[in-house]
Amino acid sequence: MVKAYLRYEPALTFGVIASPESNVVYDPSGRRLLAAALDRLAAWDIKRGLPSVSFAPSSSSPSLAVSCIASSHSAAVSSSIASGHADGSIRLWDAETGACEATLHGHRSAASALRFGPSGAVLASGSKDCDVILWDVVAQAGLFRLRGHRDQVTDLVFLDSGKKLMSCSKDKFIRVWDLETQHCLQIVGGHRSEIWSMDVDPSERFLVSGSADPELQVFRIRQSVEEGEDWSKWDVLKLFGEIPRQSKERVANVRFNRDGSLVVCQVAGKTADIYRVLDETEAARKAKRRVSRKKEKASAKSMIAEENGTIIDPLPVQNLQNPTVIVTDVFKLFQVLRASKKICSITFSPSNPPRGCLATLSLSLNNNMLETYSVDKEKVSKMYSVEMHGHRSDIRSVSLNSEDNLLMSTSHNAVKIWNPSTGECLRTIDSGYGLSSAFVGNRYALVGTKSGTLEIMDIASGSLTEAIEAHAGSIRSIVPIPDEDGTVGARGFVTGSADHDVKFWEYQLVQKSDNDSKQLTVTNVRTLKMTEDVLAVSISPEGKHIAVALLDCHVKVFHMDTLKPSLNLYGHKLPVLCMDISSDGALLVTGSADKNLKIWGMDFGDCHRSIFAHSDSVMDVKFVYRTHYMFSVGKDRTMKYWDADKFELLLTLEGHHAEVWCLTLSSRGDFVVTGSHDRSIRRWDRTEEQLFIEEEKEKRLEETFEADLENDNDYRYGQKDDAPDEGSVGVPGRKTKETVTSADAIMDALDTAEEELKRINQHKMEEQITAKAAKFQPNVIMQGHSPSDYVLNVVSSIRPNDLEQALLALPFSDALKLMSYLKEWSLVPSKVELVCRVCLVLLQTHHNQLTATPAARSLLTELKDILYCRVKECKDTIGFNLAAMDHIKVRGPFFSLKFELLDILVTSSADVCYVPMF
């Protein structure tokens, strides 16, 4: 009989406040700050320091890091938040519910820039694949792809009410695109290095772009220029001047505030320069002062020269009444914001600032923090910060208490106590660089630090009670000593250190004074000297043996009572970094930097099996209590579930975005907790769903095939990569697993419908020949639909974003079959748009073959007349409805009064009454 196992699935992720790879923006309401937390988003209430809404993908979706975020402040569409991910996909989210509305596939590599249009119905995305794609947010489909950049697209800006789009790239150019004609209007150079960011003020007077150059470049936009100035016919941007920067580091972000009076330039460091943008009156006044000061200096120099008998060239005559305004007259350095750590992203708040402040801006730091600052005339002051919900650096150890209701995690400067069920941070205690940890009951905790200090902490009070200089080197392991009755940690614990010592400790309760309560302390009772650095220590559950892993790749097993050698295990090619002993004491598993797991018998020290477990070093391994199942984690970012008796891999659990350092298991094995270099803590729960080894092997093979499909960049009908410099337009979507599945579904539906039509025709012929023909039995697969309706339902069920690529994958024979149904489908009013879209894609794809096929010519002629009439009817209906809505909007109070009178009359009278509405 095939053995079944229970599946583990991701349940909870916490500990990450803001990912350094993504930007931060405010949500459409302007009250909450959106920050990426690895593969999900969180909307933070900055004042309270709490997350209000979590935007998490479904558990079936792959764990893809968020690379950029955008939000729309228009209420026209529900999907007002967009996130770009590491695989190039874009997800649309509902701002209120946090639900994922759609996933758009188009880019071949990570999305690097997102920007909503002014109406919120159009989204522009840029990527590392050098392309810009325009998306229809309402239809959840791609519009077109803009090609032309030669390197990663870094920022996007809409102009002219969304009719134009500007994109900047690492190729040192800014491109201006006309979205109506889908054409590149202008290519702007001038930067000497990669352009990292740009932004336009709300009145669309200026565009500011930043790179690694020592100055910001400011461009004037055509709409704000008076007639008579020297402009090229097609130019939209014209260089206005350069603003010298304060920092020598490259620009990371450039953003205007809501009224355009301030612009912030954030560099790839700890500072951000805030510039004041003067209006036309103030700029003209400043220009006059500048010209007058210049004239005074020139006159003073000329007087000195006359006294010395020398002649200097006169200055050019300038009009003091209307002097020429230059860039330094408009942009003035206002304040410099200095943060405690490197700034990753910065954004202005779109809501009204507090009284006395000019603006409010928020920023994310690379140490997992969010901060909010207020900008006033005198200084930039910090208002709020979010830091309690995560560590400042990677998590090096995690441990659970005996009741599994408290979780402890250690980092380079703090210990945090969590509720593992909710992910809520209960305590934060300052400490040293913690490498190992353990609970003592439910009140105390032990932490072994990198400096060799053993710290004892009181969990209830959240304080450090004692710090003992236990070792001369870093403490790599803290292992409680189990009692004979199975009670863990009641007798004491063992520490292993890089100073070659394994020390045995006992607990003591000491009362320091009469008024103080008793506090826990520890005493060293025995020391086991080793010849090499101790990397890991493990004790058998019955407390009879202790295993010590050394830097020389050996594992030595000793008797606990006498400390005499029992076994010497060798075979690893690199040092053993972790190990564990099963609850029955029969097996010992070791994980090494050589990427292997070795399973040993504790009776004779024989190696049962050596398994190539991870693609990088194995960092931790643990047995599930009362089983021979085990979990291992490694630097390859995965956790794996094994059967140590059959030496089989059961599950590979992916989710972390960096090296996984540690793991801990609950006492019943119902959940696992892992800690990673990405600063996240993840909980994986055991479910009731069964898994089988053979099925999991098949799934892994399918995933390998799908990964090859995702990496396939051979687009049969797409544009070539060598696009011309002036820009070009391409197909927005890309080939994915979903598009291939959709194409297969269409082809299966066409074949099923064709067979059903043959059966129907054959049955009609039989009825004509014999009067008493058998009753026709329709195909059960079609669920009572006609062949045409069945194919229509299949095509309608395909997501709008996948439809185009699915149709591109159809061979010509199936495309011809599909076009034969379009005439009948066009009679359905709600499907006219779908019919037109299908017809357009098939015509563009198979134009040459269709025009050369005699059977298709008559079909195309009929479709031309029918679709033209049907589209005209839809257009008239939409125009009529828009006019009616405008009429209702103008006469809204009048209609509301009429409806109120109607409700009163109907409810007060039992007779049928007539109320004139117009």
Side-chain angles (χ1 to χ4, degrees), residues 72 280 371-372 432 586 666 677 909:
S72 171
E280 294 180 357
E371 293 182 345
T372 301
S666 65
H677 186 75
S909 174

Side-chain angles (χ1 to χ4, degrees), residues 26-143:
Y26 276 88
D27 72 340
S29 66
R31 297 189 301 270
R32 298 173 299 188
L33 184 66
L34 294 170
L38 300 179
D39 57 342
R40 60 194 63 209
L41 306 177
W44 291 89
D45 187 335
I46 297 297
K47 293 183 179 179
R48 296 191 301 158
L50 297 174
S52 56
V53 181
S54 178
F55 303 85
S58 61
S59 58
S60 60
S61 302
S63 180
L64 300 168
V66 178
S67 54
C68 51
I69 315 171
S71 68
S72 171
H73 298 284
S74 172
V77 292
S78 60
S79 302
S80 53
I81 295 174
S83 61
H85 295 261
D87 67 337
S89 63
I90 296 166
R91 289 175 178 156
L92 302 177
W93 306 87
D94 189 300
E96 297 300 327
T97 62
C100 182
E101 300 287 338
T103 302
L104 309 174
H105 296 280
H107 292 291
R108 299 189 300 274
S109 56
S112 55
L114 287 175
R115 188 73 69 114
F116 276 96
S119 64
V122 177
L123 174 69
S125 64
S127 169
K128 290 183 179 180
D129 61 7
C130 314
D131 292 345
V132 177
I133 300 180
L134 272 294
W135 305 91
D136 186 338
V137 177
V138 178
Q140 298 176 357
L143 296 175

Side-chain angles (χ1 to χ4, degrees), residues 77 91 123 204 242 272 325 345 377 390 430 441 443 462 470 541 600 607 693 807 812 825 834 872 894 908:
V77 292
R91 289 175 178 156
L123 174 69
E204 296 187 359
E242 296 178 344
V325 177
S345 178
K377 295 181 179 180
D430 293 336
R443 182 178 175 184
W600 313 80
C607 181
I693 295 176
L807 294 174
F812 176 69
W825 295 351
L834 176 65
K872 189 175 184 302
F894 170 76
S908 62

Side-chain angles (χ1 to χ4, degrees), residues 662-917:
C662 51
L663 73 91
T664 184
L665 274 159
S666 65
S667 58
R668 294 179 297 173
D670 54 342
F671 67 90
V672 189
V673 179
T674 55
S676 169
H677 186 75
D678 61 12
R679 300 169 186 166
S680 71
I681 300 173
R682 292 181 182 261
R683 196 188 82 221
W684 317 77
D685 286 357
R686 186 173 62 200
T687 64
E688 296 300 321
E689 180 185 355
Q690 292 184 341
L691 68 91
F692 301 93
I693 295 176
E694 294 301 324
E695 290 182 358
E696 292 303 314
K697 288 181 179 179
E698 292 177 3
K699 284 183 181 179
R700 286 194 286 272
L701 288 175
E702 289 177 2
E703 289 173 359
T704 304
F705 168 74
E706 290 166 6
D708 294 339
L709 179 66
E710 294 290 335
N711 296 329
D712 182 16
N713 293 329
D714 183 16
Y715 290 87
R716 183 178 177 186
Y717 303 104
Q719 297 288 335
K720 301 296 183 181
D721 287 337
D722 52 348
D725 289 341
E726 63 269 15
S728 62
V729 181
V731 179
R734 70 180 177 94
K735 188 178 180 181
T736 61
K737 179 184 68 175
E738 289 79 10
T739 60
V740 174
T741 305
S742 301
D744 291 340
I746 294 175
M747 289 187 281
D748 291 341
L750 290 171
D751 293 340
T752 305
E754 186 179 13
E755 292 177 2
E756 187 71 3
L757 284 172
K758 289 180 180 178
R759 291 180 64 240
I760 292 173
N761 293 333
Q762 185 179 359
H763 184 266
K764 288 181 179 179
M765 291 177 63
E766 292 177 357
E767 282 185 340
Q768 293 175 0
I769 296 172
T770 60
K772 296 182 179 180
K775 186 178 180 182
F776 179 75
Q777 296 293 333
N779 193 342
V780 181
I781 297 176
M782 303 182 68
Q783 300 177 351
H785 295 293
S786 65
S788 176
D789 291 342
Y790 175 68
V791 179
L792 177 60
N793 290 337
V794 172
V795 175
S796 302
S797 63
I798 299 173
R799 294 190 304 179
N801 186 46
D802 298 334
L803 180 60
E804 186 172 4
Q805 287 293 324
L807 294 174
L808 288 176
L810 294 180
F812 176 69
S813 58
D814 288 326
L816 200 57
K817 293 178 187 177
L818 188 61
M819 291 191 72
S820 64
Y821 293 104
L822 297 183
K823 179 180 176 182
E824 185 177 349
W825 295 351
S826 63
L827 301 177
V828 183
S830 61
K831 301 298 180 182
V832 174
E833 183 183 354
L834 176 65
V835 171
C836 292
R837 190 177 176 196
V838 171
C839 184
L840 181 63
V841 174
L842 294 179
L843 278 174
Q844 290 176 340
T845 307
H846 305 284
H847 179 266
N848 294 334
Q849 291 172 291
L850 287 171
T851 53
T853 305
R857 293 175 189 170
S858 59
L859 179 62
L860 292 176
T861 305
E862 293 178 3
L863 282 175
K864 176 184 176 183
D865 299 331
I866 293 173
L867 289 181
Y868 180 81
C869 296
R870 297 299 297 164
V871 170
K872 189 175 184 302
E873 290 176 5
C874 290
K875 185 177 179 181
D876 294 341
T877 303
I878 294 172
F880 180 84
N881 291 334
L882 288 173
M885 292 172 67
D886 290 338
H887 184 71
I888 292 173
K889 184 178 179 180
V890 173
R891 303 191 65 185
F894 170 76
F895 282 113
S896 61
L897 178 61
K898 287 288 185 180
F899 282 115
E900 289 176 4
L901 290 173
L902 177 62
D903 292 338
I904 294 171
L905 289 173
V906 170
T907 53
S908 62
S909 174
D911 298 330
V912 178
C913 59
Y914 172 74
V915 179
M917 294 301 297

Side-chain angles (χ1 to χ4, degrees), residues 142-366:
L143 296 175
F144 49 86
R145 182 191 299 264
L146 301 173
R147 296 174 181 268
H149 284 294
R150 289 286 182 250
D151 208 335
Q152 172 184 333
V153 179
T154 53
D155 211 345
L156 300 163
V157 176
F158 280 92
L159 274 183
D160 194 12
S161 302
K163 296 178 182 178
K164 294 182 180 65
L165 176 71
M166 290 187 293
S167 60
C168 64
S169 168
K170 286 185 178 181
D171 61 6
K172 309 176 187 177
F173 292 106
I174 298 173
R175 286 179 176 266
V176 184
W177 307 86
D178 189 331
L179 301 184
E180 294 180 343
T181 61
Q182 301 175 15
H183 179 72
C184 182
L185 294 177
Q186 186 182 2
I187 302 175
V188 183
H191 282 282
R192 299 183 297 277
S193 58
E194 300 169 340
I195 305 175
W196 286 95
S197 184
M198 65 178 178
D199 201 15
V200 174
D201 66 318
S203 60
E204 296 187 359
R205 296 165 55 208
F206 305 106
L207 178 138
V208 181
S209 61
S211 65
D213 300 343
E215 61 276 328
L216 297 173
Q217 290 200 356
V218 182
F219 298 88
R220 298 192 71 176
I221 301 173
R222 188 182 186 92
Q223 287 84 343
S224 64
V225 178
E226 297 82 1
E227 294 184 2
E229 293 197 14
D230 183 19
W231 279 76
S232 175
K233 182 179 179 181
W234 300 109
D235 283 356
V236 178
L237 299 178
K238 186 176 181 181
L239 184 63
F240 184 42
E242 296 178 344
I243 310 172
R245 297 194 293 114
Q246 300 296 309
S247 175
K248 294 181 180 180
E249 296 171 318
R250 71 164 179 87
V251 173
N253 274 303
V254 176
R255 289 294 179 264
F256 280 90
N257 68 334
R258 56 175 296 183
D259 59 359
S261 61
L262 296 175
V263 61
V264 61
C265 170
Q266 173 228 327
V267 301
K270 299 181 180 181
T271 62
D273 300 334
I274 303 173
Y275 295 88
R276 183 76 181 267
V277 184
L278 305 180
D279 56 21
E280 294 180 357
T281 305
E282 293 176 336
R285 191 181 301 120
K286 186 176 179 182
K288 289 180 182 179
R289 291 197 300 267
R290 173 177 53 80
V291 172
S292 62
R293 285 197 302 269
K294 196 171 184 180
K295 188 175 181 180
E296 290 175 359
K297 289 182 181 179
S299 60
K301 286 183 179 180
S302 63
M303 291 176 62
I304 296 173
E306 288 177 1
E307 293 176 359
N308 297 332
T310 59
I311 300 174
I312 61 173
D313 296 331
L315 289 174
V317 179
Q318 298 189 34
N319 187 359
L320 290 177
Q321 297 300 324
N322 295 306
T324 303
V325 177
I326 61 176
V327 67
T328 53
D329 297 331
V330 180
F331 292 86
K332 174 187 176 183
L333 182 63
F334 185 59
Q335 298 284 357
V336 177
L337 186 152
R338 290 181 172 84
S340 57
K341 293 291 181 179
K342 182 180 178 181
I343 304 173
C344 296
S345 178
I346 196 164
T347 183
F348 278 105
S349 172
S351 57
N352 294 324
R355 183 176 297 179
C357 296
L358 298 176
T360 303
L361 55 84
S362 297
L363 49 88
S364 63
L365 304 179
N366 72 338

Side-chain angles (χ1 to χ4, degrees), residues 386-652:
V386 180
E387 56 182 336
M388 188 182 73
H389 300 274
H391 284 284
R392 306 283 76 79
S393 65
D394 54 340
I395 295 162
R396 298 309 303 261
S397 73
V398 288
S399 57
L400 287 163
N401 68 339
S402 58
E403 297 178 2
D404 298 332
N405 58 3
L406 291 177
L407 172 69
M408 175 169 52
S409 61
T410 65
S411 183
H412 81 292
N413 65 350
V415 171
K416 287 185 178 288
I417 309 296
W418 309 83
N419 182 342
S421 300
T422 62
E424 181 184 358
C425 182
L426 305 177
R427 293 284 187 277
T428 300
I429 308 170
D430 293 336
S431 71
Y433 198 131
L435 297 179
S436 55
S437 59
F439 277 95
V440 182
N442 293 327
R443 182 178 175 184
Y444 295 100
L446 302 172
V447 176
T449 66
K450 193 174 183 179
S451 61
T453 304
L454 183 64
E455 298 178 342
I456 305 174
M457 298 179 178
D458 190 332
I459 299 174
S461 62
S463 60
L464 176 67
T465 59
E466 188 176 3
I468 301 170
E469 297 296 330
H471 290 273
S474 57
I475 301 176
R476 305 280 176 80
S477 292
I478 296 179
V479 185
I481 301 175
D483 282 348
E484 295 178 357
D485 59 356
T487 305
V488 178
R491 293 166 53 189
F493 61 96
V494 176
T495 58
S497 170
D499 63 356
H500 304 183
D501 288 348
V502 177
K503 292 188 177 182
F504 295 76
W505 305 81
E506 287 186 354
Y507 303 123
Q508 290 182 352
L509 290 175
V510 178
Q511 188 174 4
K512 295 182 179 180
S513 63
D514 296 337
N515 298 327
D516 295 338
S517 59
K518 291 185 178 180
Q519 296 289 337
L520 179 72
T521 187
V522 295
T523 306
N524 179 219
V525 292
R526 284 192 299 176
T527 301
L528 177 62
K529 296 286 185 179
M530 308 302 295
T531 57
E532 296 283 345
D533 291 8
V534 178
L535 301 182
V537 176
S538 184
I539 300 175
S540 60
E542 70 278 4
K544 293 182 179 180
H545 296 92
I546 178 172
V548 182
L550 302 177
L551 189 63
D552 61 0
C553 311
H554 286 200
V555 176
K556 296 183 181 293
V557 182
F558 300 89
H559 295 284
M560 279 284 290
D561 50 0
T562 62
L563 296 184
K564 290 183 178 181
S566 174
L567 298 170
N568 186 15
L569 311 178
Y570 56 90
H572 283 289
K573 297 179 181 178
L574 291 174
V576 174
L577 303 177
C578 55
M579 60 183 174
D580 194 27
I581 301 175
S582 61
S583 56
D584 59 359
L587 297 178
L588 168 69
V589 60
T590 56
S592 168
D594 62 10
K595 312 173 189 178
N596 290 329
L597 287 174
K598 287 185 182 291
I599 301 171
W600 313 80
M602 287 293 289
D603 293 334
F604 306 103
D606 55 323
C607 181
H608 291 183
R609 184 65 64 91
S610 180
I611 305 171
F612 183 75
H614 293 264
S615 58
D616 209 331
S617 302
V618 182
M619 300 308 300
D620 206 352
V621 63
K622 290 286 189 297
F623 275 104
V624 180
Y625 184 61
R626 291 185 177 178
T627 69
H628 284 178
Y629 307 146
M630 59 184 183
F631 286 92
S632 65
V633 295
K635 286 186 177 181
D636 60 356
R637 310 180 180 185
T638 62
M639 178 173 70
K640 296 189 177 183
Y641 185 32
W642 307 86
D643 186 340
D645 290 330
K646 294 187 175 183
F647 317 117
E648 290 281 359
L649 173 63
L650 305 180
L651 274 178
T652 299

